[in-house]
Amino acid sequence: MVDCLHHRGSMSDILILYASHYGQTRTIAERIGSRLREHGHDVDVVDVQAKSARPIARGYDLVVLGSRIEFGKHAREVLKFVRANREDLRAIPTAFFSVSMSASNTGGQGDPGGYVEKMFSLLGWRPTVWTAFPGALPYRTYGAVMRFVMKQISRAAGHTIDTSRNHVFTSDGDVDAFAYRLARLLLPKSGSTIASV
C-alpha cells in the first residue's frame, strides 16, 4: 500500500518496488508492470528512492523488488525495505531482479559476481523467484568523470567503450518471460515451486 496507489478489485494486487540510478532498472520494472496488467492484475510500480514513497508489503499478493548494482552493491533503500518488511515478505510470493553489466557476461543466467546470493545471505531473506538482467551503458547520460570511469571498467570487462551513444543490453524478451513467471506465481498452487529464472 503506497500513498493511495493501492487499489482493490482486480485478480491480484502487486507491488513492484525498484531502485534505479540511470533509468534501466525503472524501464525493466515498468515493463514487468505492463505485462502483469495485461494478465488482469492491479500493479503499483514505485520508485523506492522517491521522497514521497512510503511502501509497505502488507496487503499485496505479490511483491517484486528490483535493484541496480553499482560498484558491487545493491541499492540500500531496497535492502532497508526488505529488513522492514521481512515477515510480511515471507508470508507471500516474492520476486527479485538485479540489473548490472556483470549479468551481460553470463547471458542473464546465474548470479554474476555472487552479488545476489551475498545480498540474500546478508538479509536473511530469499524470494520465491529471482533473476539477473544485463543492464545498460548510458554513456551520454553520465557526467564526464563517470563516463571516463565507466569506460575504463567497460574496457577491463570487455564491454563496448563507444561513448558516442548509449547502449542497452537488456532483452525485452527475457523481461517478458520473467513477468510471465511472476504471473504464474499467482495461479492456484500445482505443488511445485520455481527456484530461479
Side-chain angles (χ1 to χ4, degrees):
M1 289 181 275
V2 183
D3 294 346
C4 300
L5 292 175
H6 187 71
H7 304 286
R8 287 281 173 190
S10 62
M11 290 178 62
S12 294
D13 293 296
I14 301 170
L15 172 63
I16 301 178
L17 197 68
Y18 71 89
S20 190
H21 194 164
Y22 292 99
Q24 189 60 18
T25 306
R26 179 183 66 241
T27 297
I28 293 170
E30 290 174 346
R31 187 175 183 92
I32 291 171
S34 293
R35 297 291 84 82
L36 290 172
R37 289 186 188 104
E38 290 171 1
H39 284 272
H41 300 299
D42 192 0
V43 184
D44 296 334
V45 181
V46 179
D47 179 356
V48 70
Q49 297 169 307
K51 291 182 178 179
S52 61
R54 294 181 179 83
I56 60 172
R58 186 166 299 167
Y60 285 97
D61 303 301
L62 169 67
V63 173
V64 183
L65 303 173
S67 176
R68 81 290 189 276
I69 298 176
E70 286 185 339
F71 304 110
K73 295 182 179 181
H74 290 94
R76 66 178 181 272
E77 293 90 351
V78 171
L79 306 186
K80 182 178 178 181
F81 175 84
V82 172
R83 290 190 182 102
N85 293 269
R86 194 158 30 206
E87 294 308 311
D88 288 325
L89 292 173
R90 286 173 175 161
I92 60 172
T94 55
F96 178 80
F97 66 91
S98 69
V99 182
S100 70
M101 284 305 298
S102 297
S104 67
N105 296 330
T106 66
Q109 302 297 315
D111 181 8
Y115 299 131
V116 178
E117 284 297 336
K118 289 176 187 175
M119 185 195 70
F120 294 159
S121 178
L122 175 69
L123 294 173
W125 167 79
R126 178 174 291 275
T128 313
V129 298
W130 66 270
T131 193
F133 292 117
L137 286 170
Y139 284 124
R140 304 316 303 168
T141 306
Y142 297 144
V145 174
M146 188 63 166
R147 187 179 303 130
F148 174 80
V149 169
M150 291 306 299
K151 184 176 179 181
Q152 304 316 306
I153 292 173
S154 295
R155 177 181 281 114
H159 302 310
T160 180
I161 57 172
D162 174 13
T163 60
S164 67
R165 65 186 184 89
N166 295 333
H167 305 268
V168 175
F169 298 89
T170 312
S171 162
D172 287 346
D174 288 346
V175 175
D176 291 348
F178 185 62
Y180 176 72
R181 299 289 293 272
L182 300 184
R184 287 177 58 196
L185 290 179
L186 298 167
L187 295 175
K189 301 295 182 185
S190 61
S192 62
T193 57
I194 303 166
S196 65
V197 174

